[in-house]
Amino acid sequence: MTTSPCAETTIAPADPRPAAIRALLEDNCIVLIGMMGSGKSSIGQKLAQRLGLKFIDADVEIATAAGMSIPEIFAKFGEGYFRDGERRVLYRLLNGGPMVLATGGGAFLDPRTRRRIAERGVSIWFDADHDTLLRRVRRKSDRPLLQTEDPSATLRRLMDERNPVYATADLKVVSHDVPHEAMVEQTLALLAERLPTLACGAKRPFEDLPTSMNQFAPRRDEPLHRETVRVQLGPRSYEILIGSGLLSEAGERIAKLAPGAACAIVTDSHVAPLYLSPLQASLEASGLRSAAIVVEAGEGSKSLSVFGRVLEEALAAKIERRDVVIALGGGVVGDLAGFVSASLRRGCRFVQIPTTLLAQVDSSVGGKTGINSPQGKNLIGAFHQPSLVLADIDTLETLPEREFRAGYAEVVKYGLIRDRRFFEWLEADGEAVFCGKPEQICAIAVSCEMKACIVGNDETEQGERALLNLGHTFGHALERLMGYNSQRLVHGEAVAIGLAQAYRFSHRLGLCNSQDATRVERHLERVGLPTRISDIPDFGSDAEAVLEAMRQDKKVERGALTFVLAREIGGAFVAKNVDAREVLAFLKSEM
């Protein structure tokens, strides 16, 4: 019997280019830039499939996060607000490892975004001529910048403005009216040819990174957007207003709460020369009488003696129960004035006008008030919620850089508690919080939203609210041992050391991995914050002394130590009955 030979089957060899491109990219991204209608999204999806990478459309991410479409964001808040949000989203996405990322048409114009793209990837400009772009987009209604009487002229103007910036991209692909597969093949071939000789991401020489912060900067015709966060406490609910120019509106807003009231303004010797007169003028213009009570700046004013003096001066100013105590200053003033307000005539209304970043994101919200004693920090006080919080970011302009950094530690804390994406945004864009008002508004609003949510669920710290003490058990002990000497250690610096220690201690206990502990430490160091006890000038106490100071912490129950520890970034939890021997061994290793 004979058998017929089998027909030979030819199997096409696998395309080696995708694997080679992925290897060359390492952790960097392919970032597609260009005008609307250039094919970034449609071609980008198919390119990502060929490369075996994930595809993300930044505009989709922005719309999803905002809960509204791009045209709706433009219509409600304006282009400037959209661009600020776009930059923050892109910073976060560029931390996400290798991917194909399609950006909006205006994203690459922002010099900070261009620099971040250069640091984290390779940029490809999809270039198309005017007629091709117009033909692709004219039938669509989702292009807010083209909703004009003459879309063709508007498109030409945008191209004239943007193309010189697009031309600085690493690579360029001409977008024709050809099948998408042909465009993908063209892009794939260009990447395979150029990537081996193109330094991208972390391998890019520093001098090749864009440095100009003004060239081609987007226009900012719109006023800064404000944020409002509401603390939900039933009939005692109140609003936190965050934005620029709020100090001049204080009188009008307080008069709505307490028409015709008298106000006792508690402030300190640093803040009074800067902001007391504008506040009093605003109050007077709204028919509110005010008396100023000035204390010395610094933690030393959170004492029984100063508390008593401020109470007496408020009574002498004839402040009655339905009148208002206003805290104008940082955390010290807020804590002191709040305790005065809680005690004066058994409680009167209270308004917080925080002037430091730390106070705006933390101490002004939630109703914790108090003073220190020789036995520990904030051991004497009361829960007394404000009726209103006005966080005017303009006051941060006069804040010393050291104090701003210290406040930033509390911002980082919120990302570490239970918002990993917020921490990742800070990792990517933290430096911008130090100089950009939109970023400051965003950081303050996110921090306040998280604190408001926690306070609304647990006002008097019976459970969840203890999470807000992440880093503070370590930090408060260090402050006490330093005698609350702000020349050597301010509160936010102590918190920064405490945050890093909380993650290192969590890793020592096998709760979280070393990578997360290292990320926390590196980010704090990158913005200039201390992360170790050895960073404190002339710290002379030993591990046993630090442990003893911790035993005075407010979270101690029947002598047992309570810590806020972490399983991961964004995964903090309250740990009760922590073994003091473990703590002591850790402290000895730290010192």
Side-chain angles (χ1 to χ4, degrees):
M1 184 176 66
T2 61
T3 59
S4 57
C6 296
E8 291 186 4
T9 302
T10 301
I11 300 176
D15 187 347
R17 294 175 299 176
I21 290 170
R22 290 196 305 270
L24 290 167
L25 280 175
E26 296 181 344
D27 288 331
N28 298 303
C29 304
I30 295 172
V31 184
L32 307 182
I33 67 168
M35 288 294 298
M36 61 189 88
S38 61
K40 301 186 297 290
S41 297
S42 54
I43 298 168
Q45 291 184 61
K46 294 182 181 297
L47 177 64
Q49 290 173 359
R50 286 285 298 275
L51 290 172
L53 297 175
K54 61 183 175 182
F55 172 77
I56 294 181
D57 187 320
D59 280 355
V60 172
E61 290 284 314
I62 294 166
T64 301
M68 62 182 76
S69 68
I70 303 298
E72 287 173 332
I73 297 173
F74 267 74
K76 186 172 182 180
F77 301 119
E79 184 181 359
Y81 175 78
F82 170 79
R83 296 299 176 203
D84 291 330
E86 179 181 53
R87 183 175 64 256
R88 292 192 293 270
V89 168
L90 284 171
Y91 272 39
R92 174 175 57 80
L93 293 175
L94 286 165
N95 272 348
M99 71 175 78
V100 177
L101 174 61
T103 65
F108 201 64
L109 272 67
D110 188 300
R112 287 168 288 184
T113 301
R114 292 203 302 278
R115 182 181 178 93
R116 184 55 52 134
I117 290 172
E119 291 172 338
R120 300 297 173 91
V122 54
S123 52
I124 304 178
W125 174 25
F126 279 9
D127 183 23
D129 61 55
H130 172 271
D131 293 342
T132 299
L133 291 174
L134 187 63
R135 188 166 56 251
R136 292 175 180 175
V137 302
R138 71 188 315 163
R139 292 187 298 272
K140 298 183 178 181
S141 60
D142 62 344
R143 309 292 185 178
L145 293 181
L146 292 186
Q147 304 307 306
T148 64
E149 293 183 359
D150 190 348
S152 175
T154 301
L155 180 62
R156 193 173 298 281
R157 175 181 60 79
L158 289 171
M159 292 178 68
D160 289 343
E161 292 174 354
R162 294 177 176 186
N163 282 359
V165 190
Y166 293 154
T168 64
D170 296 312
L171 303 172
K172 172 183 170 181
V173 174
V174 178
S175 179
H176 298 292
D177 277 336
V178 296
H180 288 163
E181 288 73 13
M183 285 292 303
V184 171
E185 178 60 33
Q186 183 182 348
T187 308
L188 202 62
L190 183 64
L191 283 167
E193 176 189 353
R194 296 290 305 281
L195 266 185
T197 59
L198 182 68
C200 64
K203 295 179 180 178
R204 193 185 304 266
F206 182 80
E207 58 269 19
D208 289 351
L209 294 173
T211 56
S212 172
M213 296 296 284
N214 299 311
Q215 186 182 22
F216 305 118
R219 295 186 301 275
R220 291 189 178 276
D221 300 325
E222 300 87 352
L224 284 171
H225 177 67
R226 289 179 175 178
E227 294 283 356
T228 300
V229 176
R230 188 164 181 81
V231 182
Q232 299 289 358
L233 290 170
R236 294 177 296 110
S237 298
Y238 57 94
E239 289 185 339
I240 309 162
L241 305 183
I242 305 154
S244 178
L246 288 168
L247 189 64
S248 63
E249 301 173 12
E252 177 186 350
R253 295 183 180 278
I254 294 171
K256 289 180 180 178
L257 294 173
C263 302
I265 305 170
V266 182
T267 187
D268 70 31
S269 54
H270 287 169
V271 175
L274 298 170
Y275 302 117
L276 179 57
S277 292
L279 175 58
Q280 288 186 305
S282 178
L283 294 171
E284 183 180 354
S286 297
L288 302 179
R289 175 176 66 86
S290 67
I293 305 172
V294 181
V295 302
E296 285 299 313
E299 195 76 22
S301 287
K302 284 179 58 173
S303 66
L304 277 171
S305 60
V306 176
F307 169 71
R309 176 174 74 81
V310 175
L311 266 178
E312 291 293 343
E313 290 192 34
L315 289 169
K318 297 183 172 61
I319 301 300
E320 298 176 356
R321 191 169 192 179
R322 297 191 63 80
D323 289 333
V324 181
V325 173
I326 301 173
L328 175 67
V332 168
V333 165
D335 287 355
L336 173 65
F339 191 29
V340 167
S341 179
S343 307
L344 186 66
R345 301 187 188 277
R346 296 192 176 91
C348 63
R349 281 179 286 202
F350 179 41
V351 170
Q352 285 266 22
I353 306 181
T355 61
T356 67
L357 181 61
L358 190 149
Q360 290 182 0
V361 302
D362 191 66
S363 60
S364 66
V365 180
K368 276 189 177 181
T369 73
I371 56 176
N372 304 329
S373 83
Q375 282 69 41
K377 189 177 175 72
N378 297 327
L379 295 182
I380 305 168
F383 286 97
H384 187 60
Q385 297 292 344
S387 300
L388 176 68
V389 180
L390 300 175
D392 190 333
I393 62 165
D394 295 341
T395 63
L396 302 180
E397 294 177 2
T398 56
L399 195 64
E401 184 178 346
R402 183 186 182 192
E403 292 290 342
F404 194 100
R405 281 200 307 266
Y408 183 82
E410 292 282 2
V411 175
V412 173
K413 178 189 74 176
Y414 290 104
L416 298 178
I417 290 172
R418 63 181 191 190
D419 193 342
R420 188 182 187 95
R421 290 181 67 180
F422 182 47
F423 178 79
E424 289 171 348
W425 175 69
L426 292 172
E427 268 190 317
D429 205 11
E431 290 91 343
V433 176
F434 284 74
C435 58
K437 287 189 175 183
E439 288 81 4
Q440 289 168 6
I441 291 172
C442 174
I444 295 166
V446 172
S447 301
C448 288
E449 283 172 356
M450 188 181 301
K451 184 161 189 180
C453 179
I454 292 174
V455 169
N457 293 332
D458 179 21
E459 181 180 3
T460 57
E461 200 172 307
Q462 302 304 307
E464 180 185 18
R465 184 166 179 171
L467 290 173
L468 296 172
N469 291 305
L470 177 65
H472 285 60
T473 301
F474 290 106
H476 282 169
L478 299 177
E479 284 185 277
R480 182 179 176 226
L481 291 171
M482 297 301 292
Y484 307 110
N485 183 339
S486 59
Q487 297 297 314
R488 296 163 67 188
L489 185 71
V490 297
H491 175 66
E493 292 169 343
V495 169
I497 296 171
L499 292 174
Q501 286 185 310
Y503 269 80
R504 289 196 294 267
F505 187 41
S506 296
H507 171 57
R508 182 186 179 96
L509 296 178
L511 298 170
C512 82
N513 61 50
S514 62
Q515 291 89 344
D516 280 355
T518 300
R519 281 178 69 184
V520 172
E521 184 174 349
R522 285 180 177 172
H523 179 60
L524 294 169
E525 288 176 344
R526 197 179 79 194
V527 297
L529 284 164
T531 60
R532 294 185 178 270
I533 293 176
S534 58
D535 295 332
I536 304 172
D538 301 321
F539 187 83
S541 301
D542 58 17
E544 287 79 3
V546 177
L547 179 61
E548 184 57 32
M550 287 179 177
R551 295 187 187 279
Q552 291 292 339
D553 188 82
K554 298 187 300 298
K555 297 181 296 301
V556 170
E557 295 183 11
R558 300 182 184 276
L561 294 171
T562 298
F563 284 81
V564 182
L565 301 177
R567 297 185 178 90
E568 60 181 352
I569 291 173
F573 68 99
V574 178
K576 294 182 178 291
N577 298 316
V578 176
D579 190 335
R581 292 170 297 181
E582 289 277 10
V583 179
L584 184 61
F586 169 72
L587 290 171
K588 287 181 176 180
S589 70
E590 287 278 292
M591 301 175 71

